[in-house]
Amino acid sequence: MGEPSEERYLFEEMPVHKAVATLAIPTVISQLVTMVYNLADTFFIGQIGNPVMVAAVSLVSPWFNLLTALGNLFGLGGSSLISRMLGAQNHRDVKHVAAFSVWGGGAATLLFSLATYLGRGPLLTFLGASPDTYGYAEGYLFWVVVLGGVPTMVSLTLGHLLRSEGHARQASAGMMFGGILNVVLDPVFIFGCHLAVTGAALATALSNVASVGFFLVVYRRLGEGTAVSLRPRYFTFRFVGPIFSVGLASALATTLGNAANMVMVRLAAGYGDIPVAAYGIVKRIDQVPLNLSMGLCQGFMPLVGYNFAAGNYRRMRQVSVFSWKTALGMSACFVACFALFAPQILHLFLPEAQTSALGASFLRIACLAVPLTAVNFLISYTLQAMGQGAQSALLTFSRPGAARVRAGARERHRADERHHRPVWHDLDPAGGGGHHASRLPGDVHRHLPGPGAPEPPGEITFGFSLMNQRRLLPGGPGG
């Protein structure tokens, strides 16, 4: 089938700033809503006032986010190939690429969910679950990954496929529908049905199922207006190579980032559940500017891929330069906001003094990497849009994720060699410098070593060197 003239005008002739805005604004809004519903679980659970519950969700989040890696492997790889096929006027094979992306991705995610269920015990132990967090984490994992894994991945893939043809508004509407539903269901299940962490997980799973239903309705209504087909009879392995050559780079980036987060959560777990909760909240907040950058990238990616395949390199460069300027401007605004209002932001999520104080310091350090990460996204997505999967993968491996995993592992090894487990502690409230046991929420006890005992490591590895913990505690030096 031929390409509609309206979409041809968008890809080939519309002024660059308008073309990027047309595709990127819906994806940015979609990412905003997605970000809100990612934050919703943490926010509403935090209102219960129990850091142990927040820590449980934080433990599972990196594993849950691996579903995004699968969505990128099949969905982003497939959408990049489809955009280049459209630019080369090859409409015949689009349906085969789409069918493989959806059905192949769904099958791979089903295997991932099954493996997660069978190995949930060792997995949660590896992620750093304590006796206090294990039950909450297991319930959350069951609903969002074991039962909700396939709908989550398929929803992401369908959104990518819609954007590949320029249907950014419909793709964003589907993500927004699921996100808004999640925000509505969270308080109903958490507080109304008194399900706490399980309620948050159930809301997430159901919202992703609803998003899949929305996308299926959209494709049915598009009818002849799309070259994409979701029918299983078009499934073929013929395009595995070009799909994975691009999708693998993005999937590796997501996987490495989440592997780094798993290591950091594991290290933080050695200090107790409160640092895990603080780190988990910061990672959710830190995703706000990164999600916006990702939305911008997903918007300009079809433009870059189409014009690259069509040989219009001048327009492709104009799209990239405009997107760079926009991303760096947004990043600078977020760095300033996080640096100035970190305590207030953390207190909003969890009004518990120790956790919010520790998290505020984490956030001020983490936000410094936002502009560089945004640039990294832009370069990586541009390479993927051009079909340069090997170069994008090389860039992925040079990112801080792999270095953070190695650095975290070394820190853990050094702690083990000292035969010393880091502890969470505070100082004598009387101000006399004596030490006492600190009772934390969830009956988590940590004790400060007495005089003459070896000093615990002064830093929690967070990808950056962090300040001495005692300065963050009420009553401590500088507190």
Side-chain angles (χ1 to χ4, degrees):
M1 55 170 282
E3 190 176 358
S5 58
E6 182 180 348
E7 290 165 19
R8 184 185 294 273
Y9 172 71
L10 168 66
F11 282 111
E12 298 179 2
E13 300 175 20
M14 184 181 287
V16 166
H17 67 281
K18 288 187 64 177
V20 173
T22 300
L23 290 176
I25 288 178
T27 57
V28 167
I29 293 174
S30 170
Q31 286 293 330
L32 274 173
V33 175
T34 301
M35 169 203 69
V36 168
Y37 96 76
N38 283 334
L39 290 170
D41 287 356
T42 303
F43 176 79
F44 287 114
I45 292 172
Q47 303 313 300
I48 298 175
N50 187 346
V52 173
M53 292 184 179
V54 178
V57 175
S58 302
L59 290 168
V60 175
S61 291
W63 194 257
F64 170 65
N65 289 337
L66 290 180
L67 295 170
T68 303
L70 288 170
N72 289 342
L73 177 62
F74 290 90
L76 197 61
S79 68
S80 172
L81 181 56
I82 288 173
S83 292
R84 282 179 279 125
M85 284 180 168
L86 294 176
Q89 306 303 313
N90 176 13
H91 302 271
R92 183 188 58 194
D93 292 326
V94 167
K95 55 181 172 291
H96 298 295
V97 175
F100 175 79
S101 296
V102 173
W103 293 100
T109 306
L110 184 61
L111 293 175
F112 175 79
S113 298
L114 180 61
T116 297
Y117 177 73
L118 295 176
R120 62 191 183 282
L123 173 63
L124 289 171
T125 301
F126 167 75
L127 293 175
S130 69
D132 296 286
T133 59
Y134 188 93
Y136 296 128
E138 184 180 30
Y140 193 80
L141 182 75
F142 179 76
W143 282 103
V144 300
V145 178
V146 177
L147 294 185
V150 173
T152 300
M153 181 273 167
V154 172
S155 174
L156 291 169
T157 299
L158 292 175
H160 284 309
L161 296 181
L162 277 169
R163 279 188 289 271
S164 70
E165 294 186 290
H167 302 301
R169 282 179 294 181
Q170 292 92 327
S172 300
M175 299 303 295
M176 290 171 62
F177 175 70
I180 293 171
L181 183 62
N182 193 113
V183 173
V184 171
L185 291 179
D186 260 340
V188 173
F189 289 145
I190 294 173
F191 304 114
C193 300
H194 306 288
L195 293 177
V197 174
T198 301
L202 183 59
T204 299
L206 290 178
S207 66
N208 284 316
V209 171
S211 288
V212 172
F214 182 94
F215 285 132
L216 293 178
V217 171
V218 168
Y219 269 114
R220 185 175 181 84
R221 294 184 63 180
L222 283 173
E224 294 298 316
T226 175
V228 167
S229 175
L230 305 180
R231 295 176 182 175
R233 66 189 178 95
Y234 291 117
F235 181 89
T236 177
F237 289 100
R238 194 152 48 100
F239 298 100
V240 172
I243 290 174
F244 282 6
S245 68
V246 172
L248 188 60
S250 184
L252 282 174
T254 305
T255 301
L256 270 180
N258 283 291
N261 289 341
M262 290 177 201
V263 171
M264 300 311 148
V265 169
R266 173 77 173 170
L267 289 170
Y271 293 79
D273 293 326
I274 282 183
V276 174
Y279 176 79
I281 293 173
V282 168
K283 286 307 296 180
R284 293 295 180 101
I285 297 171
D286 187 44
Q287 289 300 310
V288 175
L290 302 185
N291 277 16
L292 292 181
S293 297
M294 192 176 299
L296 176 63
C297 291
Q298 290 175 355
F300 83 73
M301 192 174 175
L303 281 170
V304 171
Y306 184 100
N307 285 284
F308 176 76
N312 191 349
Y313 304 125
R314 180 173 178 272
R315 182 172 174 82
M316 185 188 77
R317 283 193 294 270
Q318 290 174 338
V319 168
S320 296
V321 170
F322 177 79
S323 301
W324 274 57
K325 293 178 180 178
T326 304
L328 288 174
M330 289 193 305
S331 298
C333 292
F334 275 103
V335 170
C337 179
F338 288 161
L340 291 173
F341 303 109
Q344 293 85 347
I345 294 172
L346 265 293
H347 185 78
L348 179 67
F349 279 86
L350 184 60
E352 194 273 321
Q354 290 183 337
T355 308
S356 59
L358 185 62
S361 297
F362 283 176
L363 182 59
R364 282 178 171 144
I365 296 170
C367 73
L368 299 177
V370 167
L372 297 177
T373 306
V375 170
N376 191 291
F377 278 168
L378 288 163
I379 297 173
S380 182
Y381 272 80
T382 299
L383 290 171
Q384 291 171 42
M386 295 163 61
Q388 305 298 318
Q391 291 87 335
S392 182
L394 180 63
L395 178 65
T396 295
F397 280 112
S398 68
R399 286 182 59 188
R404 281 161 51 188
V405 171
R406 292 193 297 270
R410 285 197 299 268
E411 173 66 20
R412 184 77 178 193
H413 180 66
R414 287 196 295 268
D416 290 342
E417 284 183 335
R418 288 190 292 264
H419 301 289
H420 177 77
R421 291 284 289 174
V423 293
W424 182 259
H425 56 279
D426 58 9
L427 302 180
D428 192 324
H435 303 101
H436 70 286
S438 173
R439 182 177 178 84
L440 301 178
D443 297 328
V444 180
H445 297 275
R446 296 290 184 268
H447 303 273
L448 181 68
E455 181 70 15
E459 297 172 354
I460 300 175
T461 304
F462 184 60
F464 304 93
S465 292
L466 299 188
M467 63 299 298
N468 190 290
Q469 291 181 69
R470 288 175 295 175
R471 302 178 181 225
L472 305 177
L473 294 170

